[in-house]
Amino acid sequence: MWTSMPRRRMGPLLLTAFLFLLALSAVSPASVGNPEDYTADEAERTATENIVFDDYRGKGCVDDSGFVYKLGERFYPGHSNCPCQCTEDGPVCDQPECPKLHPKCTKVEHNGCCPECKEVKNFCEYRGKTYKILQEFKPSACEWCRCEPNNEVHCVVSDCAVPECVNPVYEPEQCCPICKNGPNCFAGTTIIPAGIEVKVDDCTICRCHNGDWWKPAQCLRRECLNGQTLS
C-alpha cells in the first residue's frame, strides 16, 4: 500500500527555496558596487547642488563689471562702448557714425563710443629736421622752403644763369656760381679773357667768340722764324 506525504509540509519549503534562488539570480556581481563609489557620487551631487548659476536671460543685462540692468534700461556695457538698451534678447547697442580722425592725428583716445583725436601734428619734417607751421627756412643755399599748415614742406629752388666763364667758383652761402675774373674762354689749354685779342705765344693771337664762351677761342697763327713774325 502506497502512502502519500502530506502536501502542507512540502509546499511551503519548495516555495521558499524557489523564491531564494530567483532573488539570488537577479543580483549580478556588476550591480554590486564599491561602497566608496557611493560616497564620492553623493559628495559630487551635493557640491553641484550648492552651486548657483545666475541666469538673467529675459530678466536683465549685465555689464563688464557685473552690474545688472533692468529691461528697458540704457547702460554702457564697458569703458569704451556705445550706449545700449537692455532687451529680452540682450543688449541692443547704438552704432553711430563716428567722425573721421584727422590724418595728422598723433594721439587718439578710446574713452567713449567714438575714438577722439587729442593731438594733431603741428610741425613739418624735412631731411631729418622739424619746423613749425609757417616757418620759413633754407635747407641749402639754392632752396627756400616753408612749413605749410597741412604739415607739408614746399620749396623753391633758385634758377641760376649759366656763367660766362670756363672756371666759375662757388662762394660760401651763395647759391649760384660766379666768374670772379670775368668772362673768358679756352685757347688750347690756356684761359684767356673775353673781349680782347690775346697773344698766347710769339706767333699766335687768340680771341674769345662773342657770347660763345664755351667755344674754343679763335686763333690766328703766323709763320715765325726765331721768334720773329714774318710778314
Side-chain angles (χ1 to χ4, degrees):
M1 181 180 293
W2 292 93
T3 58
S4 62
M5 186 175 295
R7 293 182 179 180
R8 284 181 293 184
R9 288 186 178 181
M10 296 297 294
L13 291 175
L14 290 174
L15 181 60
T16 302
F18 176 77
L19 293 176
F20 176 77
L21 291 175
L22 183 63
L24 185 62
S25 62
V27 180
S28 63
S31 64
V32 180
N34 191 338
E36 295 180 357
D37 294 338
Y38 290 101
T39 304
D41 293 343
E42 184 67 23
E44 183 178 355
R45 183 168 57 256
T46 303
T48 304
E49 292 175 354
N50 291 334
I51 298 176
V52 178
F53 296 96
D54 294 331
D55 186 0
Y56 295 102
R57 288 175 295 181
K59 304 175 183 177
C61 303
V62 184
D63 63 9
D64 291 349
S65 60
F67 192 85
V68 181
Y69 294 87
K70 298 178 181 179
L71 295 177
E73 193 172 0
R74 288 181 66 82
F75 69 102
Y76 287 85
H79 177 65
S80 60
N81 295 96
C82 295
C84 301
Q85 182 87 18
C86 182
T87 70
E88 293 185 354
D89 298 326
V92 177
C93 302
D94 297 342
Q95 298 294 331
E97 292 187 5
C98 296
K100 294 183 178 180
L101 296 177
H102 195 286
K104 301 293 184 180
C105 185
T106 57
K107 184 179 180 181
V108 181
E109 287 188 357
H110 299 272
N111 291 328
C113 183
C114 293
E116 184 178 357
C117 180
K118 289 296 182 180
E119 185 176 337
V120 178
K121 181 181 176 183
N122 59 352
F123 60 89
C124 299
E125 296 183 56
Y126 190 73
R127 296 180 183 176
K129 295 183 179 181
T130 58
Y131 302 92
K132 297 179 181 179
I133 298 297
L134 300 181
Q135 180 180 353
E136 298 179 356
F137 58 96
K138 294 189 67 175
S140 69
C142 291
E143 292 177 289
W144 176 87
C145 304
R146 185 173 74 168
C147 176
E148 301 294 345
N150 62 353
N151 306 107
E152 295 181 358
V153 174
H154 288 175
C155 295
V156 176
V157 180
S158 299
D159 186 13
C160 296
V162 178
E164 296 181 349
C165 60
V166 295
N167 57 349
V169 295
Y170 287 86
E171 295 288 346
E173 302 300 325
Q174 191 168 349
C175 174
C176 299
I178 60 174
C179 297
K180 296 189 71 174
N181 299 317
N184 57 39
C185 68
F186 276 112
T189 58
T190 303
I191 298 176
I192 63 174
I196 60 174
E197 289 186 350
V198 178
K199 187 177 182 180
V200 296
D201 59 36
D202 291 338
C203 301
T204 307
I205 297 176
C206 298
R207 184 184 181 92
C208 293
H209 289 271
N210 291 330
D212 297 336
W213 57 268
W214 61 90
K215 294 181 178 180
Q218 292 176 323
C219 295
L220 178 61
R221 187 173 179 82
R222 299 178 180 180
E223 294 184 3
C224 298
L225 180 63
N226 297 327
Q228 299 293 325
T229 301
L230 298 178
S231 55

